Amino acid sequence: MRYTLHQLAAGSYDLALDGVIVGGVVRETTAGGALTGWCAELLEDLPVATRPRPFDCVEHRFPTLEAATAWLGGARIVSAPSLHLN
């Protein structure tokens, strides 16, 4: 199983497992905009036995994006593709 993060906007990523979106990783901030950490979350609250590893609960919080990607087995970040207008 390989995770990838697909950038949607600054601080927001779709979380894909083998090419299928299973969740998201988002930056968490205070009301004033200060960074408080990152959250990796599954889209569905699956039974524990069927959750993709390493998820043992639906949400996991991390102090940095690097900590989240490491926990996801070294998930690769994929930037949004550039669009070309003709």
Side-chain angles (χ1 to χ4, degrees), residues 1-78:
M1 291 191 290
R2 294 286 303 169
Y3 284 104
T4 53
L5 298 176
H6 300 263
Q7 189 171 22
L8 301 171
S12 178
Y13 299 87
D14 273 342
L15 176 61
L17 176 60
D18 296 329
V20 177
I21 304 298
V22 296
V25 176
V26 295
R27 177 175 52 203
E28 296 184 319
T29 60
T30 64
L35 177 65
T36 60
W38 292 81
C39 179
E41 180 177 16
L42 293 173
L43 290 175
E44 295 183 53
D45 187 3
L46 301 169
V48 174
T50 61
R51 289 182 189 146
R53 292 231 177 262
F55 285 90
D56 56 4
C57 59
V58 176
E59 292 182 358
H60 287 270
R61 287 184 165 65
F62 304 91
T64 64
L65 179 58
E66 292 78 13
T69 58
W71 180 77
L72 291 164
R76 186 172 52 96
I77 296 175
V78 179

